[in-house]
Amino acid sequence: MKVRELIEVYREQLKGEELRKATEEKYINSLHRFLTKRYSRETEIEEINSDDLLKDLKKIKMRGETSAIVNGLRRVKNYINIPDEEELKKTIKSKTVKLRENDEGKELKKIMKKINVLRDKKLKLGYRLMLMSGLRVFELAELNKKDIEITDAGIKIKVLDGKGGKSATINCLRDKYLEKSLSEYLESTNEEKVFYSKKHMMNRALESGFECHDLRRAFSKLLYKEKKEEVGVYKANIEVQKAMRHTKFSTTKIYLNSKIKV
């Protein structure tokens, strides 16, 4: 059996657990990304070493990603040699302790430093656009050149098939670097799809130590700060709910109360 076949076995196991589709894909992608970072998809599973797996697990920064991978390894332990259960528990526990020590949450300026050093322009511009627009990662991945309009007034985006199949027109927060660089990029590329796939954007974000959805959370707070100065608290809340495209303000409130610092 090869690594790619092992992933398919894992996929079949998850189908019987009646998980949400997004959760199922998260688990599959986590294990696939973890294994193929050291091994190829064509590697025979007999070559997988439990000591190497443990070393790679210890390198992961985020608790959620570690837990997803460990759960995947446990489910395929009849096919590959995985680390001892006590070692797995100890590894997850170490991530939990580390996160609790940093209970103040993430800082946008630190995330932006990670984004700004990216050499891949499509990634850099994509993440900055998510921050300035509040786009969900799957919405960003579906953007075509014709869906983005850049004028002296800023960036305007047309979402044709957003969450729940809803369309929307989004006016982005102002970012002169993004407006100039994205305009130049759109003129220089012949590709109709502007950015990478949802999976690729999410994976590269995790490798850099943040989540794509952190950018949507930060957008809600940046917009609130801007609107609060203009129209006051009550109307600012309404503006943020509208921009986030939430049916209920209670959902928007979760974003505004998130621990990410802007």
Side-chain angles (χ1 to χ4, degrees):
M1 181 183 289
K2 298 181 178 181
V3 167
R4 59 178 171 79
E5 295 169 321
L6 181 69
I7 296 299
E8 290 307 311
V9 168
Y10 182 39
R11 183 185 296 276
E12 289 302 315
Q13 288 181 348
L14 291 178
K15 283 182 179 178
E17 298 185 21
E18 298 183 353
L19 300 170
R20 291 175 56 198
K21 187 66 177 176
T23 302
E24 181 182 312
E25 288 302 316
K26 177 183 177 182
Y27 286 168
I28 293 167
N29 290 340
S30 294
L31 185 61
H32 180 269
R33 180 172 55 248
F34 176 70
L35 292 176
T36 55
K37 197 163 187 179
R38 178 182 288 268
Y39 308 98
S40 77
R41 284 170 52 83
E42 300 302 316
T43 300
E44 297 290 340
I45 60 174
E46 289 80 6
E47 298 177 33
I48 297 177
N49 184 290
S50 62
D51 291 337
D52 290 337
L53 293 180
L54 185 60
K55 287 178 184 177
D56 291 341
L57 278 172
K58 290 180 177 179
K59 293 177 183 177
I60 298 171
K61 297 178 181 179
M62 301 181 72
R63 180 186 59 179
E65 182 76 355
T66 306
S67 296
I69 293 166
V70 168
N71 286 333
L73 291 174
R74 285 168 174 160
R75 284 179 169 89
V76 297
K77 66 181 181 181
N78 290 334
Y79 302 92
I80 62 173
N81 292 319
I82 69 171
D84 180 75
E85 180 62 25
E86 287 303 313
E87 289 292 341
L88 292 176
K89 289 180 179 178
K90 189 186 300 183
T91 302
I92 293 176
K93 187 177 180 180
S94 70
K95 312 294 178 179
T96 305
V97 170
K98 184 176 181 180
L99 287 177
R100 284 177 180 167
E101 288 173 352
N102 185 24
D103 199 34
E104 296 180 356
K106 299 177 182 178
E107 293 184 34
L108 179 58
K109 64 180 181 180
K110 292 182 178 180
I111 293 175
M112 289 309 300
K113 284 182 180 180
K114 295 172 182 178
I115 292 173
N116 290 335
V117 298
L118 292 171
R119 294 184 179 182
D120 189 320
K121 199 163 190 178
K122 283 174 70 171
L123 282 176
K124 182 186 291 188
L125 294 178
Y127 292 139
R128 286 186 78 119
L129 185 59
M130 290 175 69
L131 175 63
M132 293 296 109
S133 64
L135 282 173
R136 301 173 177 92
V137 62
F138 82 88
E139 295 169 337
L140 182 90
E142 290 300 313
L143 288 180
N144 292 319
K145 291 175 70 173
K146 61 181 176 58
D147 300 326
I148 303 174
E149 180 185 350
I150 305 175
T151 66
D152 292 340
I155 302 174
K156 184 179 290 187
I157 299 172
K158 291 181 180 179
V159 176
L160 302 178
D161 188 16
K163 189 173 183 178
K166 297 178 181 179
S167 61
T169 299
I170 297 170
N171 293 306
C172 298
L173 295 172
R174 299 304 302 265
D175 181 335
K176 291 183 179 180
Y177 168 82
L178 178 62
E179 291 163 17
K180 180 176 183 295
S181 299
L182 182 56
S183 179
E184 292 172 349
Y185 177 73
L186 292 175
E187 290 178 6
S188 66
T189 182
N190 293 321
E191 297 179 10
E192 191 59 28
K193 287 288 185 188
V194 182
F195 300 107
Y196 293 115
S197 68
K198 169 188 171 181
K199 180 180 177 181
H200 186 76
M201 297 293 292
M202 291 177 68
N203 287 349
R204 290 300 304 275
L206 288 172
E207 289 172 7
S208 296
F210 66 95
E211 297 175 331
C212 286
H213 219 64
D214 289 332
L215 303 174
R216 183 166 162 82
R217 296 183 184 103
F219 165 79
S220 70
K221 291 195 169 189
L222 290 174
L223 180 61
Y224 175 79
K225 289 177 71 174
E226 180 181 289
K227 293 299 180 181
K228 182 182 175 182
E229 295 295 321
E230 296 177 3
V231 298
V233 173
Y234 177 73
K235 288 186 177 179
N237 285 333
I238 295 174
E239 290 290 334
V240 175
Q241 180 184 349
K242 182 180 177 181
M244 296 290 283
R245 293 166 283 145
H246 290 153
T247 304
K248 299 179 180 178
F249 178 69
S250 57
T251 306
T252 307
K253 192 174 181 180
I254 293 172
Y255 284 78
L256 292 175
N257 289 338
S258 63
K259 291 185 178 180
I260 189 165
K261 290 185 176 182
V262 300

